[in-house]
Amino acid sequence: MTVFDVVVLVCAALLTVGATLAVIRAERGPSMLDRTIALDIVVTTVIAGVALYAAVFRRADVVPLLVVLSLVGFVGSVTVARFAAVEPEGEGRVRTREEVAAEEAEKRRLEQEELAERRARRRAALEAARDAPVEAPGAGGGTPEPATEPVPESATDTVEDEPDPEHHGGPADEETR
């Protein structure tokens, strides 16, 4: 056994250990970034293994295979990174479409509850303003101030819940009063 054979066996053993540990990391995670990096390491060890094979058997015809494996690893990493970029802060994984839809539905429900609460407060303020006694002119020493409708907190407070009877939908669904 020559020195070259020993070096090849040591390199092969190190590549095997590295690939095994990377697969374990990819399985355990916990985040998408951990899994992506682990799979990049697996692709890299496969590339190194093919390069080791080419060096031992003096085969130059596997160079295109090395190029293809490198491109596949790069494109895979970029693709996963692109989809992981929408991952929210503090989240350890990429959410499914169903999870995103459920979160958006919950957000819309909370916004609608807040809007209904603001409308109820505005109606209560209007009723309180209508029920307040109006002073007779000259009785209080001044002119009475007219009851005014409170200004909506945002433009969404003026959106109707239901369209008018003659309204049939379209871009003016959120018609304002």
Side-chain angles (χ1 to χ4, degrees):
M1 190 178 239
T2 66
V3 174
F4 183 73
D5 292 336
V6 171
V7 170
V8 169
L9 287 175
V10 168
C11 288
L14 290 176
L15 287 174
T16 304
V17 169
T20 304
L21 292 175
V23 168
I24 291 170
R25 173 48 60 194
E27 179 190 350
R28 290 190 180 171
S31 71
M32 186 60 133
L33 181 61
D34 290 334
R35 290 182 172 95
T36 303
I37 291 172
L39 293 176
D40 281 341
I41 292 171
V42 170
V43 170
T44 303
T45 55
V46 168
I47 292 169
V50 172
L52 184 64
Y53 168 79
V56 169
F57 294 105
R58 298 186 183 270
R59 304 246 339 237
D61 59 334
V62 295
V63 172
L65 179 64
L66 293 172
V67 172
V68 169
L69 285 172
S70 299
L71 287 174
V72 167
F74 172 74
V75 170
S77 297
V78 169
T79 303
V80 170
R82 187 224 180 276
F83 288 114
V86 296
E87 185 175 347
E89 189 70 29
E91 191 76 21
R93 59 187 174 78
V94 175
R95 300 173 297 164
T96 63
R97 291 178 192 254
E98 292 81 17
E99 290 172 330
V100 171
E103 289 175 7
E104 289 175 358
E106 179 66 18
K107 188 188 302 184
R108 281 193 300 271
R109 185 187 64 79
L110 291 173
E111 288 173 356
Q112 288 174 353
E113 287 177 1
E114 182 181 330
L115 180 62
E117 184 178 307
R118 276 192 261 157
R119 286 182 179 163
R121 281 186 298 198
R122 186 176 62 215
R123 286 186 191 119
L126 286 173
E127 289 176 9
R130 286 187 201 135
D131 294 341
V134 178
E135 295 181 13
T143 60
E145 294 193 24
T148 59
E149 184 175 329
V151 178
E153 293 180 21
S154 71
T156 58
D157 289 343
T158 60
V159 176
E160 295 178 347
D161 290 332
E162 297 292 326
D164 295 332
E166 66 273 359
H167 184 259
H168 301 290
D173 272 340
E174 295 190 0
E175 182 179 336
T176 57
R177 295 180 198 175

